[in-house]
């Protein structure tokens, strides 16, 4: 053997310690692949389910239906004592809310089936009609005041209308159509076109609402305006400027009203005060605290026996916490979170600018109103006097909100993937019906007597 080969072999053998196997993998078990943990499988399945084309459609439809049905149950439970105190049948408020829910369901189905072009054409008449009705509210003899707010029109009998609730829907549709038209013409890069005429028209609606003293509805309308500006891509300085003007106006309106100042002073209150100015806020906390984890039972609330004002409207969430406990309130919060998240998904996945602005505006409206109402019940925000969407008593608030939910469902159905999935399901369902019909006809033909003796 040559000397060079022997020296190379000696070097290699010297590099490997004696008494060890030269192959490091010989005699060892190969490493096992990492185990798939159960929570990862659950997360992957949830992610795949959420990415399906019809998920947003079913989430919006299911969550809104559950909120409405649970709201009907709680309206009946929270309002029966007050109805009896007014010498009315125990189901008086529930019957009115049920009629409004039926009418709202019809509006929801109509909004689901309306094409997008018809929604855009419907925006301008709705805005004009809302402004006209809000002007009529301020006419003596036509408009009526409820709890100090001049924002109602009586329709005869027990029925009345609050035009400002329809103003929210009008601002969403009209603002979405306006911004979509300007985006098609590439005008939203100029701040003048972004603000005019959207902000002046919104300020007109806010002015008509504030003439009646309804600060809560004005807050929700302002949230819708900011939501539309944010979706339109308003620059930070422009957004901050409009927000500063709104904050200054809100501060002036609060400082000039003793009632609003009293509500602001009740933030975090644990005692009604010497003149009971924080009575409603404190008893709302009492109702939530006495519910515990699972509540005192449906219909077993104590605060609705005259202690808590407005138990079936503004503070129905407190009665829900007292009767259904923490489990009931968290269920309501989860349903609103699911509805809001599905609305954001619809707005984020569409390529139609009108659908994006309208879906974002509706989601902002419902989410902001739920936050303001629940925050007031929890003592985190001033009492603004706005109902919990789809849940509180009030037909004037329920009808436009259900129409807005129908808009979201219609937009979710118009996604390309959702449209194809619905078409496949309808064709499969038609084939299944045809097969069932054919099998039924064959069974009938076999069972028919042949006439032979």
């Amino acid at each position: 053997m040559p000397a060079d080969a022997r020296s190379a072999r000696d070097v290699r053998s010297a590099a490997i310690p004696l008494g060890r196997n030269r192959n490091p993998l010989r005699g060892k078990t190969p490493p096992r692949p990492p185990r798939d943990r159960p929570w990862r499988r659950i997360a992957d399945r949830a992610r795949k389910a959420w990415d399906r084309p019809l998920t947003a459609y079913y989430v919006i439809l299911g969550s809104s239906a559950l909120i409405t049905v649970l709201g009907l149950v709680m309206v009946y439970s929270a309002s029966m004592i007050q109805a009896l105190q007014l010498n009315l049948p125990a189901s008086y408020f529930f019957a009115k809310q049920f009629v409004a829910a039926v009418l709202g369901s019809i509006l929801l189905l109509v909004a689901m089936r309306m094409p997008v072009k018809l929604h855009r054409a419907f925006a301008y008449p709705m805005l004009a009609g809302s402004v006209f009705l809000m002007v009529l509210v301020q006419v003596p003899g036509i408009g009526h005041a409820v709890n100090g707010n001049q924002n109602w029109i009586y329709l005869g009998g027990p029925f009345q209308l609050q035009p400002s609730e329809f103003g929210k829907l009008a601002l969403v549709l009209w603002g979405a159509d306006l911004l979509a038209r300007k985006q098609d013409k590439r005008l939203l890069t100029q701040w003048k076109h972004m603000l005019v005429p959207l902000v002046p028209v919104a300020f007109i609606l806010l002015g008509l609402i504030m003439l009646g003293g309804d600060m809560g509805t004005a807050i929700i309308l302002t949230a819708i305006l900011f939501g539309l500006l944010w979706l339109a891509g308003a620059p930070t300085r422009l957004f901050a400027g409009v927000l500063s003007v709104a904050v200054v106006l809100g501060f002036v309106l609060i400082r000039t009203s003793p009632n609003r100042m009293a509500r602001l002073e009740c933030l975090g209150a644990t005692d009604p005060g010497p003149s009971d100015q924080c009575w409603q806020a404190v008893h709302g906390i009492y109702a939530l605290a006495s519910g515990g984890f699972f509540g005192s039972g449906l219909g077993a609330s104590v605060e609705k026996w005259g202690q808590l004002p407005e138990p079936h409207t503004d503070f129905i969430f407190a009665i829900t916490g007292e009767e259904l406990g923490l489990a009931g309130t968290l269920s309501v919060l989860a349903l609103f979170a699911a509805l809001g998240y599905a609305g954001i998904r619809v707005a984020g996945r569409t390529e139609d600018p009108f659908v994006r602005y309208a879906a974002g505006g509706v989601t902002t409206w419902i989410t902001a109103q739920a936050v303001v109402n629940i925050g007031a019940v929890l003592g985190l925000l001033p009492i603004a006097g706005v109902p919990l969407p789809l849940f509180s008593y009030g037909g004037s608030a329920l009808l436009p909100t259900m129409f807005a939910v129908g808009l979201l469902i219609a937009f979710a159905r118009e996604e390309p993937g959702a449209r194809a999935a619905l078409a496949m399901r309808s064709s499969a369902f038609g084939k299944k019906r045809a097969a069932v019909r054919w099998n039924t006809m064959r069974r009938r033909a076999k069972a028919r007597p042949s006439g032979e003796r």
Side-chain angles (χ1 to χ4, degrees):
M1 182 181 294
D4 296 339
R6 287 197 303 268
S7 62
R9 187 184 64 183
D10 295 340
V11 170
R12 289 197 299 269
S13 62
I16 301 176
L18 295 175
R20 293 189 181 181
N21 196 341
R22 294 187 179 184
N23 187 0
L25 298 179
R26 184 179 298 173
K28 293 184 178 181
T29 305
R32 295 180 180 179
R35 293 182 178 180
D36 192 7
R37 297 180 180 179
W39 64 269
R40 286 187 178 179
R41 292 198 300 268
I42 295 174
D44 291 340
R45 290 177 182 177
R47 191 180 301 111
K48 291 179 181 179
W50 180 250
D51 289 336
R52 292 175 182 174
L54 288 176
T55 299
Y57 169 74
Y58 287 124
V59 169
I60 295 172
L61 183 61
S63 59
S64 60
L66 288 175
I67 293 172
T68 305
V69 172
L70 183 59
L72 286 172
V73 174
M74 292 310 304
V75 164
Y76 179 69
S77 177
S79 65
M80 57 169 52
I81 303 303
Q82 187 168 357
L84 293 174
Q85 290 175 349
L86 297 174
N87 296 324
L88 296 171
S91 60
Y92 174 78
F93 294 105
F94 168 77
K96 291 180 63 177
Q97 186 74 357
F98 182 78
V99 172
V102 172
L103 295 177
S105 300
I106 296 174
L107 290 178
L108 186 146
L109 294 175
V110 170
M112 281 178 55
R113 298 298 179 180
M114 286 175 60
V116 175
K117 292 183 179 180
L118 189 56
H119 282 299
R120 299 185 69 167
F122 188 60
Y124 290 85
M126 175 168 282
L127 178 66
S130 299
V131 172
F132 176 73
L133 290 176
M134 280 191 260
V135 171
L136 285 182
V137 168
Q138 306 304 322
V139 176
I142 298 179
H144 294 268
V146 176
N147 295 330
N149 293 336
Q150 182 85 11
N151 52 5
W152 295 88
I153 296 177
Y154 279 100
L155 302 178
F159 299 101
Q160 53 192 4
L161 180 69
Q162 188 176 1
S164 57
E165 293 291 338
F166 293 88
K168 302 173 188 177
L169 179 61
L171 180 62
V172 168
L173 290 176
W174 177 79
D177 180 72
L178 175 69
L179 294 174
R181 292 176 186 273
K182 291 196 173 188
Q183 181 173 336
D184 292 338
K185 297 179 181 179
R186 298 181 179 180
L187 297 176
L188 292 181
T189 55
Q190 306 176 23
W191 68 271
K192 293 181 180 179
H193 287 283
M194 185 174 291
L195 294 181
V196 181
L198 177 62
V199 175
V201 170
F203 279 1
I204 291 174
L205 294 175
L206 288 171
L208 291 173
I209 291 172
M210 289 307 301
L211 283 177
D214 192 356
M215 186 74 177
T217 305
I219 292 174
I220 306 304
L221 208 68
T222 305
I224 294 173
L225 174 61
F226 286 138
L228 291 174
L229 290 175
W230 182 75
L231 289 169
T236 305
R237 61 181 183 277
L238 184 62
F239 202 84
V242 177
L243 181 61
S244 301
V245 173
V247 169
V248 171
L249 289 177
F251 178 77
V252 171
L253 292 172
I254 291 175
R255 290 289 297 177
T256 55
S257 173
N259 185 27
R260 299 190 187 108
M261 281 298 300
R263 292 185 179 185
L264 189 63
E265 293 173 356
C266 292
L267 284 176
T270 57
D271 186 83
S275 58
D276 292 337
Q277 63 180 6
C278 299
W279 181 274
Q280 188 178 24
V282 171
H283 278 272
I285 298 297
Y286 289 169
L288 290 171
S290 61
F293 285 100
F294 299 105
S296 58
L298 190 63
S301 170
V302 176
E303 290 292 334
K304 68 183 180 183
W305 287 78
Q307 299 295 326
L308 180 63
E310 306 296 335
H312 58 299
T313 54
D314 302 344
F315 273 71
I316 193 171
F317 189 76
I319 302 299
T320 303
E322 185 180 6
E323 295 187 351
L324 303 183
L326 182 63
T329 55
L330 290 180
S331 300
V332 175
L333 291 176
L335 290 173
F336 275 109
L339 180 59
Y341 195 71
I344 293 173
R345 167 177 163 152
V346 172
R349 290 197 172 190
T350 183
E351 297 180 357
D352 189 341
F354 171 78
V355 173
R356 181 169 64 253
Y357 295 133
V362 170
T363 306
T364 303
W365 163 16
I366 296 176
T367 305
Q369 188 162 327
V371 169
V372 170
N373 178 275
I374 296 174
V377 174
L378 296 176
L380 303 176
L381 295 174
I383 299 175
V386 295
L388 190 58
L390 302 173
F391 201 83
S392 296
Y393 169 78
S396 294
L398 185 62
L399 294 179
T401 307
M402 294 193 74
F403 187 89
V405 172
L407 279 177
L408 288 179
I409 297 174
F411 298 155
R413 288 167 54 94
E414 289 299 320
E415 291 184 9
R419 193 184 309 162
L422 287 173
M424 291 178 60
R425 290 194 176 189
S426 61
S427 62
F429 182 71
K431 292 179 180 179
K432 185 176 180 180
R433 287 186 61 186
V436 171
R437 188 180 303 169
W438 172 250
N439 292 333
T440 304
M441 293 175 63
R442 290 181 62 185
R443 287 194 299 267
R444 289 179 179 177
K446 290 181 180 179
R448 186 179 303 165
S450 60
E452 299 179 356
R453 296 181 180 178

